Structures are given as structure tokens and as C-alpha cells.
Amino acid sequence: MRYNKIREMDISNGKGVRVSLFVQGCEFHCEGCFNPETWDFSKGKIFTTEDMNNIIKLAKKDYIKGLSILGGEPLHPNNIESVAMIAEYFKYVYPTKDIWLWTGYKYEDIIKRTDTHNVLDYIDVLIDGQFKKDKKNLKLKWAGSENQRCIDVGRSLRENKIVLEEKML
């Protein structure tokens, strides 16, 4: 997998201060995307064990609430296996810190896929749905457009229905 950047202290992508990983590569190419430099799968850097160790080291600080994984598209078939391994290892090291993940795929479609490598088992909050320029809303906390949802993944899996994390306004 390739990645665009790792942010050491991010306060924009999830609750609290977080470490953020921006994966490289996306086929959605949403009009008005805030991160088009992450679309090309051949750009960015190859994610290595050293990068994983760096994320673990950065997240060790008490004030870091968790890990945010954005893109690009983390759940694209080119990225999902590595993202699942990153999420699993992060949860192994930091079981009390949360993982937020942004994806253009809808939750209902993700749970039907056979190539997810159980990634949802490690994700606490999922912001799903492609950015829609005509539904853009700058008042939303965690999403860019009103069609996107902030989903409590654990509860959704347990209750076999979509449970929203919180209102996004």
C-alpha cells in the first residue's frame, strides 16, 4: 500500500488529538474533493514497518485519542488488506484508543464484501459515503456533505443495523 502522509497531531479528523494516516489511491474522484492529491495510486510513499512503528510511537502520548485513516480510499481493494493489518495492530497495542475511518463506500456495501479482511472489527467510527458537492455542508463536524454518515461500527455490527455515532452538526 502507498500513503500520502502521516499527521502527528490532527484535530480535524475525529474527536480529540489524533494521529492520521492518509492512504494513497482513490477511484471515486469526487467533484470538490478536499484531497485530490491522494487519487493517484502510483504516487505517495510505500507504507513500511518503519511507518507503522512511527504511528505506534506517535500514538503513545497520553493526549492522543486514537488513529484516523483517510484517503484516498482506505477500503479500495488495493489498500484494504494493509489498512486492516494497520488497524488490527494499532488496536493490539492500544486497545483503549479508537480508530476512525473515512470511506466513499457505504456501510451496507462494505459488510457484503468478501475482501474486507475483517477491517470493521477494528474500526470504532466509520464515516461513509462519497462526498457530494451539491450536498456540501461546512457545518458538519466529521463529514463534508450531508449524505455521509458517522457510524458507531461496534454497535452496528452487534445490533445488525446502522447505529449513528452522533449528530454531525
Side-chain angles (χ1 to χ4, degrees):
M1 178 191 84
R2 301 182 79 80
Y3 74 101
N4 181 271
K5 64 186 159 199
I6 296 170
R7 252 193 216 152
E8 185 174 337
M9 292 191 308
D10 189 348
I11 58 169
S12 317
N13 297 302
K15 288 182 183 173
V17 181
R18 317 181 63 73
V19 175
S20 291
L21 169 65
F22 291 79
V23 303
Q24 189 70 37
C26 182
E27 291 181 332
F28 292 127
H29 299 183
C30 301
E31 183 181 355
C33 173
F34 83 104
N35 229 356
E37 67 274 12
T38 64
W39 290 354
D40 188 336
F41 285 92
S42 67
K43 292 193 175 172
K45 303 167 226 148
I46 295 174
F47 190 85
T48 65
T49 303
E50 185 178 314
D51 295 312
M52 185 73 234
N53 291 338
N54 185 38
I55 287 172
I56 295 301
K57 179 182 162 196
L58 293 170
K60 186 176 185 174
K61 300 170 183 119
D62 289 339
Y63 60 84
I64 298 293
K65 176 100 169 90
L67 174 66
S68 293
I69 305 173
L70 311 93
E73 177 49 64
L75 301 187
H76 184 277
N78 288 3
N79 296 330
I80 195 165
E81 183 176 7
S82 295
V83 167
M85 288 190 297
I86 290 164
E88 181 180 14
Y89 187 63
F90 186 87
K91 278 297 198 178
Y92 171 77
V93 176
Y94 300 117
T96 61
K97 295 188 184 222
D98 60 14
I99 298 176
W100 287 47
L101 186 139
W102 280 254
T103 181
Y105 296 103
K106 295 193 65 129
Y107 178 85
E108 298 91 318
D109 298 325
I110 298 166
I111 60 172
K112 292 177 189 171
R113 287 172 55 180
T114 59
D115 68 339
T116 62
H117 302 275
N118 297 321
V119 70
L120 292 180
D121 292 344
Y122 310 105
I123 305 303
D124 297 285
V125 178
L126 181 80
I127 292 76
D128 79 336
Q130 294 176 36
F131 173 76
K132 302 285 184 192
K133 190 175 181 180
D134 63 329
K135 296 182 186 282
K136 182 177 181 176
N137 184 340
L138 297 176
K139 293 180 182 176
L140 297 174
K141 281 186 193 178
W142 314 119
S145 58
E146 293 176 355
N147 60 296
Q148 295 171 309
R149 301 173 293 184
C150 188
I151 298 171
D152 179 326
V153 177
R155 283 189 59 204
S156 296
L157 291 172
R158 284 191 304 278
E159 297 178 24
N160 201 26
K161 66 178 185 177
I162 293 173
V163 178
L164 298 182
E165 163 66 19
E166 64 175 42
K167 291 186 179 184
M168 292 205 301
L169 283 176

